[in-house]
Amino acid sequence: FIYLIKTLAAALICNSHMGELYPISTMAVGGSLGNSLFFIVSGFLISTKTEMGPAKWYLKRCSRLFPSYWVLNLVLLIFGVYGISSLPEFFYRFILPVKSFWFVGAILIFYALFYLVIRSGKQNLRCWILGTTIIYFIGYIFFQDLSRWTVEGSGYFKFIFYFDVMLCGYWIKINFAKVKEYAERYRARCLTGSVLSVVAFLGIRLAMIAVPVITYVQFLVQASSLLFAGFTFMVALSFEPQLKNQKDSIIGKAFVFIGSSTLEIYLVNYVLIDVVAQFIFPINMVLAFSMIFVAGVTAHYSINAGMNAVVGRLGRR
């Protein structure tokens, strides 16, 4: 069910970057919905084995991100997709990419904070969630320009929200037995909640476009994204037995391939969207999703195969 969620998240995020491919650019929505799915899954999957110490624990998390990130960035650099003219640019591209690929930069920061969350004990998780929520609303009320769409803009304010989402994913991990029981018993309610969250998300976004003054309540867009992530997680979880039965089917394998390659898909989608911009709608959409997913999956398995081969040779020595 995790692969299903990550596949959906990848599709939503890619779609949100395709404004130039649609006849109406506002059809390119779903970025915050997909991001919320990613971060709630990240919190759910986070390792709680902190006995190895903070440095080793953190580096182990980073080792799953940096190989693909560095390889693909080097490819983009070699082919002239972007250039690096200063040391700060190098830092924000290869070390802490909060200005180039903000999602990767955010997860690297969150990993560092999560070590403290885990070490503080499960009993303090609610305090972390409450504290982060309070910080969010303090920043929202006193430091955000609410006269325009800013909560999901290019700034760092959204980091606070997505850290809260990741904390909620960790809460699900801690209370997994109860969450699973609820999901299986009330699947219809969860599905309804997921659909209504999308309706609320789209309704509020469209209302803000039609009536700009409504931007003062734009936090509701992120709130609906969090609800969507939570309900969708439970819907997917409730179908786990059926999904297991389909794991060897073409669709099941597709979910595994795409769900395993979400980082690489995220890294290549910007470039490939530009490649198909010359084609008419909806052919450009079909080409975009096909090329992005194929390129991302190919990059993921190729890079990991190369890394495993290198590690294997070093181990034999």
Side-chain angles (χ1 to χ4, degrees):
F1 80 98
I2 292 295
Y3 293 119
L4 172 62
I5 294 173
K6 293 177 74 174
T7 299
L8 175 60
L12 287 169
I13 291 177
C14 288
N15 184 75
S16 71
H17 298 151
M18 296 181 180
E20 64 185 65
L21 303 186
Y22 280 109
I24 303 174
S25 61
T26 51
M27 296 172 69
V29 296
S32 60
L33 297 176
N35 290 330
S36 295
L37 285 176
F38 269 130
F39 282 111
I40 206 167
V41 166
S42 296
F44 176 75
L45 296 176
I46 197 77
S47 172
T48 57
K49 297 179 180 179
T50 58
E51 299 82 5
M52 62 187 72
K56 190 173 181 180
W57 184 89
Y58 183 73
L59 289 174
K60 193 171 183 179
R61 309 280 79 70
C62 294
S63 67
R64 299 183 179 183
L65 291 174
F66 276 130
S68 289
Y69 182 76
W70 284 337
V71 169
L72 289 174
N73 265 279
L74 285 172
V75 171
L76 296 176
L77 181 62
I78 291 170
F79 282 93
V81 176
Y82 68 87
I84 295 178
S85 59
S86 66
L87 186 60
E89 282 187 41
F90 176 84
F91 179 82
Y92 286 123
R93 176 65 63 172
F94 285 95
I95 307 303
L96 188 61
V98 291
K99 290 187 176 181
S100 51
F101 293 98
W102 75 267
F103 177 86
V104 180
I107 204 74
L108 290 172
I109 294 172
F110 295 170
Y111 281 158
L113 293 174
F114 245 85
Y115 182 84
L116 301 176
V117 173
I118 296 168
R119 293 295 293 176
S120 67
K122 299 176 183 179
Q123 69 278 6
N124 292 315
L125 179 57
R126 291 185 179 181
C127 295
W128 279 95
I129 295 175
L130 178 61
T132 305
T133 304
I134 291 173
I135 292 172
Y136 172 90
F137 279 105
I138 290 174
Y140 181 87
I141 295 170
F142 296 105
F143 299 102
Q144 283 295 106
D145 180 5
L146 300 178
S147 64
R148 58 188 180 87
W149 175 244
T150 58
V151 295
E152 287 286 337
S154 58
Y156 301 135
F157 177 74
K158 60 187 175 186
F159 282 37
I160 305 172
F161 168 71
Y162 288 119
F163 183 63
D164 220 1
V165 176
M166 195 166 170
L167 288 171
C168 291
Y170 184 51
W171 181 89
I172 293 175
K173 182 184 186 75
I174 293 173
N175 298 278
F176 184 66
K178 293 180 180 179
V179 173
K180 184 178 180 182
E181 181 182 357
Y182 183 91
E184 292 173 345
R185 180 177 298 181
Y186 300 110
R187 177 190 293 172
R189 293 184 185 180
C190 294
L191 182 58
T192 301
S194 181
V195 172
L196 290 179
S197 299
V198 175
V199 172
F201 172 87
L202 295 174
I204 298 167
R205 286 292 286 124
L206 291 173
M208 286 193 297
I209 294 173
V211 186
V213 71
I214 298 180
T215 55
Y216 284 93
V217 294
Q218 58 189 282
F219 74 92
L220 293 175
V221 174
Q222 290 185 321
S224 61
S225 298
L226 173 57
L227 290 173
F228 170 77
F231 283 123
T232 303
F233 186 100
M234 288 190 286
V235 171
L237 173 59
S238 71
F239 282 103
E240 175 68 359
Q242 293 88 337
L243 292 170
K244 280 186 176 181
N245 291 332
Q246 296 297 320
K247 67 179 181 179
D248 293 324
S249 68
I250 295 176
I251 295 178
K253 290 180 179 179
F255 285 149
V256 173
F257 287 147
I258 296 172
S260 300
S261 310
T262 49
L263 172 62
E264 293 79 9
I265 288 170
Y266 171 69
L267 295 174
V268 304
N269 83 99
Y270 296 96
V271 178
L272 296 179
I273 287 172
D274 292 336
V275 171
V276 302
Q278 57 184 308
F279 297 95
I280 63 171
F281 179 85
I283 294 175
N284 53 5
M285 300 297 299
V286 175
L287 288 173
F289 277 110
S290 300
M291 291 174 63
I292 289 168
F293 284 172
V294 170
V297 170
T298 302
H300 171 79
Y301 284 97
S302 299
I303 294 170
N304 277 273
M307 290 297 299
N308 290 335
V310 171
V311 172
R313 288 182 180 180
L314 293 175
R316 286 194 295 270
R317 290 181 182 178

